[in-house]
Amino acid sequence: MTQSFNAAPIALDSIDGFPSRIGRVFLLDETEIAVFRTSDDEFYAVENRNPHPKGGPLAESIVSGHYIYDPLYDWKIDLKTGLVQEPDSGQVNTFRVEVQSDQVAVFK
């Protein structure tokens, strides 16, 4: 489920501030998000909370393609849709991300 409450993007940092395949955490209002840059220079943002019943952060996940692998529970999550891949199930909130004039911006 992609969240998009306002039409105005929120600038986070320059493209150079996002290392490839490393998650960065940002606080938007009261929601903590994890922003990932893939090896293909695509940007994705998800709520920084694992949908596993015990929860946990997602920013420390391992990035491969447009998936992240949570190191706590070994869950594979699609960064595009937020869907947890089988045999597990669940979904994390996703946020639209755009690159505008070398700035990474998220829509909340």
Side-chain angles (χ1 to χ4, degrees):
M1 160 189 307
T2 300
Q3 300 285 316
S4 188
F5 300 109
N6 341 334
I10 300 166
L12 300 177
D13 199 353
S14 69
I15 292 173
D16 295 337
F18 293 87
S20 181
R21 300 185 320 240
I22 303 289
R24 284 196 55 201
V25 177
F26 294 89
L27 187 61
L28 302 180
D29 298 324
E30 294 185 19
T31 303
E32 196 172 272
I33 65 168
V35 180
F36 298 92
R37 180 181 189 174
T38 67
S39 57
D40 294 337
D41 287 330
E42 298 282 332
F43 288 86
Y44 297 96
V46 298
E47 187 171 0
N48 191 32
R49 186 183 184 296
N50 192 316
H52 187 279
K54 293 183 180 179
L58 291 174
E60 301 295 321
S61 297
I62 299 163
V63 181
S64 179
H66 62 88
Y67 293 98
I68 54 175
Y69 295 84
D70 180 274
L72 292 175
Y73 311 111
D74 197 31
W75 278 21
K76 180 180 178 183
I77 301 172
D78 188 325
L79 287 168
K80 292 180 180 181
T81 64
L83 289 172
V84 175
Q85 304 300 291
E86 292 184 1
D88 303 301
S89 65
Q91 187 170 15
V92 64
N93 290 327
T94 61
F95 299 86
R96 190 173 101 204
V97 179
E98 289 184 4
V99 176
Q100 303 172 346
S101 303
D102 292 333
Q103 289 290 312
V104 176
V106 68
F107 291 76
K108 178 164 182 349

